[in-house]
Amino acid sequence: MLLNMEKAFVTLLLMTGTALAQANGTPVASAVTLHDLKITPNSTNTGEGQVVIPDSSLPKAGDAGQRAHTNYRVFVPKALAQPRPLAAKPTVGPPFSGYFNETPSSLACIYALVPVTAGCDPNTLTTVSSRGSRVIAIVDAYHYPSAMDDLTLFSTQFGLPAPNASNFQVVYGTPGNVQPPTDPTFGWEGEEALDIEMAHAMAPNAKVILVEAASNNNSDLLYAEDVASGLVAAANGGEVTNSWGESEFSGQTALDTHFSTAKVVYFAAAGDSPGVIWPSSSTNVVAVGGTSTSRWLNGYFLWESSWVDGGGGVSAFVPRKTFQNGLISRIGVWRATPDIAADANPDTGVWVTCGVGCGGSLGDWYIYGGTSVASPLVASIVNDAGHFATSTNAELLTIYANLGWPTRFNDVTRGVCGPYLAFPTTAGVAPSTAGWDFCTGVGSPNGLNGL
């Protein structure tokens, strides 16, 4: 029997140092209220628990062209109301046993950054990537005060190099280098925790720079984007990843200059609902969509399928560029997303720790999902490849030139996403199909040769 890894809702479990346990072999946790999560409780009762979307992830009326949102969600299961004794904590590996959510080691195995072990079991693997160089910059909004503490704990837990001044830096991407305020909803700090931990996990020998914008207003985020671009270019090349976005809007192409610095390759999350979002729809950005990892009940990895809530489709404003000319019969004259994909379904999400910066305490562990996971993950794998393209367009030309090579991309042919009028089916949703599709683009990385 397969684990139920492809539900439409997302799974992000809160686990504190005294909460997690095992009962009859099934991990459960003690009672946690939505207040404890320190996020605005926009929630839906699924019968199995509450789906909670951080306020920072909810588009607001009038946001398009003005301000961005994050791309992750939270699921609080009913099991959190059933206290049990604390489960044993491994020395290296997942902070709590019994879950098959992804770790730096299991992701490195799935994407062939290390010698592939059958099953890619997150509870037994300890080998992490040893790759990465130059710089990966991350643009987010607001100040994350516990960034170093949380990244240090994350690195210790999973056997990664400890962060220090040479491999991790927080930069204020604001006029006058003024420290931004913290986000009163704590949603953006959670995003920042996810981004820096995924980047360090996949490319531990690269320098990770967190560039903090004054707010989630577009003007502030784009100012920070320019700061990040300058830092990467000064390091002779690297990547900038953005896990935020918003609905497309008229005039967005005029902002492409913020994603055009030489020696910088830009990435952006394709979104956590059907349709196209900016800036991932820019032709100056690699749009990163979402997959689900499928495992047996014993945790044995089988394959990836598309994530039903993954973003993608045909842009309403951005003309197709030459790197997608081979898709003209499928997409017409407009830019289509995503370009590539990686694990994003929160049912198959990744371990993240976020303490004081998220309104909790050091040692609070979560399971994150959303294309906010996939964007820094793929950006870091491209960094691992070490090619350091001179522009995003050059990187996209390489990616699409390798479309259809099974030794370079995992062609995701299971699952559905949508609906997309550009690729209708009788079910009203788009399937993952051989080659490029609206769910996962060219597929997910299979090693580094396709990048």
Side-chain angles (χ1 to χ4, degrees):
M1 182 181 294
L2 288 172
L3 286 172
N4 187 5
M5 292 285 192
E6 298 171 9
K7 298 176 183 176
F9 60 79
V10 290
T11 304
L12 173 49
L13 307 174
L14 173 65
M15 295 165 214
T16 66
T18 58
L20 191 70
Q22 287 185 322
N24 300 321
T26 301
V28 295
S30 62
V32 176
T33 67
L34 294 182
H35 174 74
D36 293 327
L37 289 171
K38 301 297 191 301
I39 57 178
T40 303
N42 302 287
S43 61
T44 302
N45 194 325
T46 66
E48 299 179 33
Q50 284 186 304
V51 179
V52 183
I53 304 177
D55 184 68
S56 63
S57 290
L58 293 171
K60 312 296 192 303
D63 274 359
Q66 301 297 320
R67 58 184 63 83
H69 59 80
T70 59
N71 288 289
Y72 73 97
R73 312 178 197 174
V74 183
F75 176 66
V76 185
K78 283 185 174 180
L80 290 175
Q82 304 173 21
R84 295 290 187 275
L86 182 65
K89 182 176 179 179
T91 302
V92 174
F96 302 104
S97 61
Y99 290 84
F100 292 110
N101 295 95
E102 306 302 341
T103 68
S105 297
S106 67
L107 290 170
C109 177
I110 289 169
Y111 297 119
L113 306 182
V114 298
V116 176
T117 301
C120 295
D121 189 340
N123 288 301
T124 61
L125 293 180
T126 58
T127 302
V128 295
S129 171
S130 60
R131 299 178 180 273
S133 60
R134 301 190 193 179
V135 167
I136 302 167
I138 295 162
V139 175
D140 276 313
Y142 300 105
H143 180 52
Y144 171 26
S146 62
M148 178 62 85
D149 290 341
D150 292 334
L151 185 58
T152 298
L153 178 61
F154 179 86
S155 301
T156 299
Q157 185 65 50
F158 292 110
L160 294 160
N164 53 50
S166 65
N167 64 12
F168 178 63
Q169 184 180 6
V170 177
V171 172
Y172 304 146
T174 61
N177 194 34
V178 176
Q179 178 180 300
T182 57
D183 179 7
T185 70
F186 296 95
W188 280 88
E189 283 85 341
E191 177 68 66
E192 291 170 271
L194 165 63
D195 293 345
I196 64 173
E197 290 169 24
M198 283 302 96
H200 188 56
M202 294 295 98
N205 287 328
K207 182 173 184 177
V208 175
I209 302 179
L210 173 61
V211 182
E212 298 178 334
S215 77
N216 65 326
N217 289 334
N218 284 352
S219 58
D220 289 334
L221 282 165
L222 292 175
Y223 186 97
E225 194 79 18
D226 294 342
V227 172
S229 300
L231 291 168
V232 172
N236 200 30
E239 298 74 29
V240 174
T241 176
N242 306 276
S243 287
W244 45 270
E246 63 201 69
S247 299
E248 289 198 293
F249 53 93
S250 177
Q252 65 185 47
T253 55
L255 302 177
D256 281 349
T257 54
H258 296 280
F259 307 97
S260 60
T261 300
K263 300 184 180 180
V264 182
V265 178
Y266 298 86
F267 297 79
D272 295 353
S273 60
V276 181
I277 65 171
W278 175 88
S280 70
S281 59
S282 169
T283 52
N284 289 2
V285 171
V286 179
V288 187
T291 69
S292 304
T293 56
S294 295
R295 296 178 177 273
W296 288 111
L297 284 175
N298 64 1
Y300 190 97
F301 173 74
L302 295 171
W303 55 66
E304 286 178 284
S305 56
S306 59
W307 177 38
V308 69
D309 281 349
V314 177
S315 172
F317 299 101
V318 183
R320 188 192 73 250
K321 211 166 181 179
T322 54
F323 59 81
Q324 288 191 321
N325 278 355
L327 309 178
I328 188 170
S329 63
R330 307 263 315 269
I331 67 175
V333 300
W334 301 102
R335 159 79 154 132
T337 66
D339 299 306
I340 193 170
D343 184 31
N345 182 349
D347 273 345
T348 68
V350 299
W351 289 102
V352 169
T353 187
C354 184
V356 175
C358 290
S361 58
L362 186 66
D364 286 353
W365 285 93
Y366 304 78
I367 296 171
Y368 273 57
T371 51
S372 284
V373 175
S375 184
L377 198 161
V378 171
S380 302
I381 295 175
V382 171
N383 180 281
D384 289 338
H387 298 154
F388 296 104
T390 57
S391 66
T392 303
N393 186 68
E395 181 63 39
L396 285 166
L397 286 169
T398 297
I399 289 172
Y400 280 91
N402 287 298
L403 171 61
W405 288 45
T407 58
R408 300 186 178 185
F409 295 114
N410 301 309
D411 190 2
V412 181
T413 58
R414 296 174 171 87
V416 297
C417 61
Y420 303 127
L421 294 178
F423 194 38
T425 70
T426 55
V429 294
S432 286
T433 58
W436 185 93
D437 58 57
F438 287 105
C439 298
T440 60
V442 301
S444 66
N446 181 11
L448 304 175
N449 289 331
L451 304 170

